[in-house]
Structures are given as structure tokens and as C-alpha cells.
Amino acid sequence: MDQTTRRGLLIILSSPSGAGKTTLARKLMGWDETLRFSVSATTRPPRRGEEDGVHYHFVSEARFRNMVAEGEMLEHAHVFGHFYGSPLGPVKEAIEAGRDVLFDVDWQGAQQIARSALQDHVLSVFVLPPSIAELRRRLVERGQDAPEVISKRMQKSWDEISHWDGYDYVLVNGDLEISFARLKTIVEAERLRLAQQPGLTDFVRGLQSEFQESEE
């Protein structure tokens, strides 16, 4: 049997801001260059330097609503006056070709994907900080946000953390390299799930036929 023949995974990474999700996602893509981020669709206009199909799929609101109505979105949300969502088609094509797709979504998006038509191929991981004090320290030290923004992120983190038990796996990211090693182990194991190996049934039938022939 060709052990490389498999279906791809929908790998969901979620966490409160500052827990290390983005860094882990980048390290995961560096470890396996076949991994790709899901390109979201949005109704907001492109910003300078953004390319359609690369950064986002830019669509009209009417087109977006139609995609949702026709079941063409894995997940979607309305944020700051615009719609955002993950188109089903490209993701389905990728996993059928054996390529894993990475999603950086919140718990609501994760739940929608987990209930979608591709739910059998979902791997969801929630990343927790080792402590709330450490979470705040990371937000402050990365120097990207004003103090009032950090306060809002900290307030939001409690709601996000409260949904930790809705995921397949939870990583407490106290040491980045240890967390990354564990994440790789999770991905490698999940790639071997029965649902990810469509050729196993025929392979086992072949073994059974071979055994029966040898007994005759």
C-alpha cells in the first residue's frame, strides 16, 4: 500500500491573543512546506498591496450572502461592518488531494467548521498561555498595541479561554519548542486516522484475498 495516499486535514488553531498561536502556525508551515493557510473571502475592499486570491478572495456582499445560502462557506462572520468567511470549494479540493489546510479562526469559526460537511477531517487545537500574567507580559512586550487595546484583548481573552473544552487538543504554551514538538506529534498522528486513509479498505480486502488464496 502507498502510505503517502491520504486525505488532507483541516487544521484549526485558536487561542487568546498573545498565547502563541501565530508563532506556532508559522513554525508548522516551516516544518511542512505543503501546508497552506485557507484564503478567506471578504466583502471589504482590498487594502494597498493586497492581491485577490492571495491575501483574500474579495467578493461583493451579494455574492457572499449567496455563497452562505448555497452552503459554499465552511464558516463565516460579520466583523466591523464586513463579512469574512472560508470558502468550502478550495478546501475540499485540497484535502481530497492530500494537502492539509491551516485555519486561524476563533472558537465560533472553529465550531462552524467542526459542524461542516468536512467535519470528519477536522483537527482542532486550542493554545493556552501558562498564566494570565504571562499572557499580559507577551502582549506588552511585543509592542504592537496601545495600553487600552491590550486591556480590551485581555478582557476578550477570558471569553475565548472559556471555550477551551470544545477542541480536540489543548496545548499549554509555556515553552515554545516543547509546544511545537507536541503540535507536530498531534498532526503526524492525526494524518494516520482511518478517515484520512481512503485506500485502507481495499488494501485490507487485498490482504484477506491473499490469505484465502494461500489457504486453498
Side-chain angles (χ1 to χ4, degrees):
M1 178 183 176
D2 183 0
Q3 294 294 331
T4 63
T5 302
R6 66 176 181 87
R7 291 190 177 97
L9 289 167
L10 284 73
I11 304 174
I12 298 171
L13 291 180
S14 301
S15 77
S17 183
K21 169 190 61 179
T22 301
T23 301
L24 285 169
R26 288 173 179 166
K27 289 178 72 66
L28 197 63
M29 294 181 71
W31 166 66
D32 185 344
E33 295 182 354
T34 66
L35 273 169
R36 292 290 182 271
F37 262 114
S38 172
V39 180
S40 298
T42 182
T43 59
R44 74 161 173 78
R47 295 169 182 158
R48 181 176 297 179
E50 289 183 334
E51 297 181 37
D52 183 47
V54 177
H55 299 92
Y56 285 95
H57 297 292
F58 296 100
V59 299
S60 67
E61 184 170 326
R63 170 60 178 148
F64 192 100
R65 289 181 180 276
N66 185 64
M67 292 175 72
V68 172
E70 295 296 323
E72 297 176 15
M73 284 290 184
L74 279 168
E75 57 85 25
H76 65 279
H78 189 256
V79 182
F80 299 126
H82 299 290
F83 288 97
Y84 294 82
S86 302
L88 170 63
V91 176
K92 186 175 181 180
E93 290 176 7
I95 67 169
E96 288 178 351
R99 298 192 303 273
D100 301 325
V101 182
L102 195 58
F103 291 82
D104 180 351
V105 295
D106 63 11
W107 66 270
Q108 292 170 311
Q111 286 186 341
Q112 290 182 55
I113 295 172
R115 294 194 297 262
S116 74
L118 302 181
Q119 59 184 279
D120 290 342
H121 311 293
V122 171
L123 161 60
S124 61
V125 181
F126 194 83
V127 182
L128 285 170
S131 69
I132 297 303
E134 175 63 13
L135 182 66
R136 181 181 293 277
R137 186 193 67 79
R138 291 176 184 177
L139 289 173
V140 171
E141 289 197 351
R142 72 184 187 182
Q144 295 180 356
D145 300 312
E148 59 271 20
V149 175
I150 291 175
S151 294
K152 289 180 180 179
R153 290 189 185 279
M154 290 299 299
Q155 291 170 7
K156 185 180 178 183
S157 69
W158 173 247
D159 178 59
E160 294 169 326
I161 290 173
S162 70
H163 297 282
W164 66 275
D165 58 351
Y167 289 74
D168 298 319
Y169 298 88
V170 175
L171 291 175
V172 179
N173 185 25
D175 182 289
L176 179 61
E177 292 307 319
I178 291 175
S179 296
F180 178 51
R182 289 172 176 168
L183 180 59
K184 288 190 295 182
T185 298
I186 290 168
V187 171
E188 288 176 328
E190 288 290 314
R191 285 172 170 175
L192 296 176
R193 274 191 297 168
L194 293 181
Q196 301 309 114
Q197 301 186 72
L200 270 179
T201 299
D202 289 340
F203 177 73
V204 173
R205 286 173 179 166
L207 289 178
Q208 292 171 331
S209 296
E210 185 180 341
F211 181 80
Q212 291 172 350
E213 290 171 1
S214 67
E215 292 294 304
E216 294 176 355

